[in-house]
Amino acid sequence: MRMFSTGSVWSDSVKARVTLPAPAFSGMAWTEGTFKKISLADYAGKYVVLFFYPLDFTFVCPTEICAFNDAAKEFRDTGCELISCSVDSHFTHMEYAKKPRATGGLGDMDIPMLSDLTKTISKDYGVLTPDDAISFRGTFIIDKTGILRHTSVNDLPVGRNPEETLRLVKAF
């Protein structure tokens, strides 16, 4: 088994973008019990945590998304909004949110669930898997002026800690 590559697998498009403007995005979301088109521009003047996850109804995702959702008020108290995003449709997001937590769903959501069905947002943020199938678990902190302040990407099986993300937001 080969553990390390002898050639470079990095492309010119893979760059640290911290301190540069965050890629603009817009799309349909399931939010506040309805479908709504949202964009990064809608959040001007606020910090934004945009977090990607692989797919609705998959392992780790319900626990992680619910943990972020449960912390939404704490994020808002710091002037920050949370937005979740996956390559699922907004209709799938709706069904995921309508299903109770006790049966594998999310239950009522207090944060937008952005659809990236075209995978454009995932590509722009550099979190699309190499086979272009789904998104890695990417976390992006965008400041009040639209500048990217933090980026982290986890492999599929590893979830994130909303408390650590909130700590970073407060630090910025």
Side-chain angles (χ1 to χ4, degrees), residues 50-70:
L50 174 64
F51 68 96
F52 292 83
Y53 61 95
L55 291 167
D56 292 346
F57 299 102
T58 56
F59 64 99
V60 181
C61 294
T63 305
E64 181 180 57
I65 297 166
C66 288
F68 272 104
N69 187 67
D70 292 348

Side-chain angles (χ1 to χ4, degrees), residues 30-88:
W30 174 252
T31 184
E32 301 171 6
T34 190
F35 298 125
K36 181 179 177 184
K37 188 169 185 172
I38 65 169
S39 70
L40 181 57
D42 296 337
Y43 297 89
K46 297 180 181 182
Y47 269 78
V48 170
V49 171
L50 174 64
F51 68 96
F52 292 83
Y53 61 95
L55 291 167
D56 292 346
F57 299 102
T58 56
F59 64 99
V60 181
C61 294
T63 305
E64 181 180 57
I65 297 166
C66 288
F68 272 104
N69 187 67
D70 292 348
K73 183 183 180 323
E74 291 178 76
F75 279 88
R76 284 192 185 109
D77 287 348
T78 66
C80 179
E81 294 292 330
L82 297 168
I83 302 170
S84 68
C85 185
S86 81
V87 298
D88 293 293

Side-chain angles (χ1 to χ4, degrees), residues 61-131:
C61 294
T63 305
E64 181 180 57
I65 297 166
C66 288
F68 272 104
N69 187 67
D70 292 348
K73 183 183 180 323
E74 291 178 76
F75 279 88
R76 284 192 185 109
D77 287 348
T78 66
C80 179
E81 294 292 330
L82 297 168
I83 302 170
S84 68
C85 185
S86 81
V87 298
D88 293 293
S89 73
H90 52 288
F91 297 109
T92 305
H93 290 331
M94 175 185 69
E95 290 304 315
Y96 199 22
K98 283 187 172 185
K99 188 173 183 178
R101 289 183 180 187
T103 57
L106 301 176
D108 292 334
M109 291 293 293
D110 197 27
I111 61 174
M113 298 177 71
L114 180 61
S115 172
D116 185 21
L117 201 55
T118 64
K119 303 176 184 173
T120 303
I121 303 168
S122 297
K123 285 178 189 172
D124 289 348
Y125 279 83
V127 297
L128 201 60
T129 56
D131 62 359

Side-chain angles (χ1 to χ4, degrees), residues 133-145:
I134 58 178
S135 302
F136 286 115
R137 295 180 190 281
T139 308
F140 300 87
I141 298 175
I142 304 163
D143 76 10
K144 298 175 186 185
T145 64

